[in-house]
Amino acid sequence: MATYVLVPGAGGDAGFWRFVEPLLRRRGHDVVAADLPAADDSAGLAEYADAVVTAIGDRRDLVLVAHSLGAFTAPLVCERVPVDLLVLVAAMVPAPGEAPGDWWANTGQVQAEREVRQAHGLDPDAPWDLGFTFLHDVPAEVAAPLAAEGWPAQSGTPFGRPWPLGAWPDVPTRFLLCQDDRLFPAEFQRRVVKERLGITPDEMPGGHLPALARPAELVEWLERYRTGVSGQ
């Protein structure tokens, strides 16, 4: 069996994986859901990687899964511990030397998201809306507390610092996009993943938060990737 290491996106909250973790454990896997110091203005990507490496400890047979902004952290972890497989889910794909804050304009995400808003009859310049962008397909009982409390705090510090790697790590990498993602629309992701990783992403239904909206389906994809690499 494997050790799944789950890296959250912006907000750094390991609770994002709260429905995925028990499903993986039922299949006999060890699971590490990492908390990142996202609210700490002194912490950047290096400190995020430190947090994941510390959480891993001496575990091996690692399948590293990163969501959204977590894809800027996960490759740094691959440089420090032996990772068998890296899976990116609805993720940002960094380029060498690119700061996360520059990624949006560099990739064309800003225009892609504007077009999604327009397609839904919304003002593309309206303030960001948690419900529209993130919670539109999350079950009501899960979405309600998130809507009431807001998204966990995320410092701007890592967005201003260049991604330090000169190339993608030499680790088998898979990408799973979400076809109804309103933050990173599907057609946008297909292009960026092909340009930056040279692979064709796989696709599942749903929005930007599959771990909350479709955890069982997400786990099926993760297991498919794992057995495809390990052969068992």
Side-chain angles (χ1 to χ4, degrees):
M1 294 292 100
T3 296
Y4 277 94
V5 181
L6 309 177
V7 181
D13 184 4
F16 174 71
W17 303 104
R18 60 187 176 274
F19 303 124
V20 170
E21 181 172 356
L23 294 176
L24 290 172
R25 290 192 183 279
R26 281 178 211 160
R27 293 174 182 244
H29 302 298
D30 190 10
V31 181
V32 176
D35 267 313
L36 306 182
D40 184 351
D41 285 334
S42 70
L45 295 174
E47 288 74 23
Y48 291 13
D50 288 344
V52 178
V53 170
T54 298
I56 292 171
D58 60 359
R59 295 175 176 89
R60 292 297 180 263
D61 301 317
L62 305 179
V63 177
L64 184 59
V65 182
H67 175 253
S68 198
L69 177 62
F72 271 82
T73 297
L76 308 185
V77 176
C78 292
E79 295 289 289
R80 296 176 53 182
V81 297
V83 173
D84 295 333
L85 173 65
L86 173 57
V87 181
L88 307 180
V89 178
M92 303 165 73
V93 180
E98 181 178 61
D102 294 331
W103 179 91
W104 311 87
N106 290 349
T107 58
Q109 184 278 339
V110 177
Q111 180 59 29
E113 186 179 2
R114 284 176 60 87
E115 291 171 1
V116 168
R117 289 170 176 250
Q118 288 175 316
H120 284 83
L122 301 178
D123 178 357
D125 297 314
W128 182 78
D129 183 271
L130 176 65
F132 174 80
T133 305
F134 279 179
L135 304 180
H136 58 95
D137 69 329
V138 175
E141 65 275 14
V142 179
L146 285 172
E149 298 166 10
W151 200 252
Q154 172 62 57
S155 168
T157 298
F159 289 92
R161 298 179 181 177
W163 191 62
L165 298 187
W168 198 256
D170 186 19
V171 173
T173 301
R174 306 291 183 268
F175 194 105
L176 181 62
L177 68 77
C178 297
Q179 294 167 330
D180 305 307
D181 194 334
R182 295 177 178 177
L183 183 65
F184 304 150
E187 190 58 38
F188 159 82
Q189 285 283 49
R190 294 180 191 115
R191 173 181 58 80
V192 172
V193 172
K194 189 68 174 178
E195 290 174 352
R196 295 195 166 198
L197 293 178
I199 63 176
T200 299
D202 293 302
E203 304 186 14
M204 66 175 284
H208 190 64
L209 307 180
L212 299 179
R214 298 171 179 265
E217 189 170 350
L218 176 56
V219 166
E220 290 295 333
W221 273 105
L222 298 180
E223 284 287 79
R224 196 175 308 165
Y225 290 142
R226 179 188 64 82
T227 56
V229 170
S230 70
Q232 59 181 355

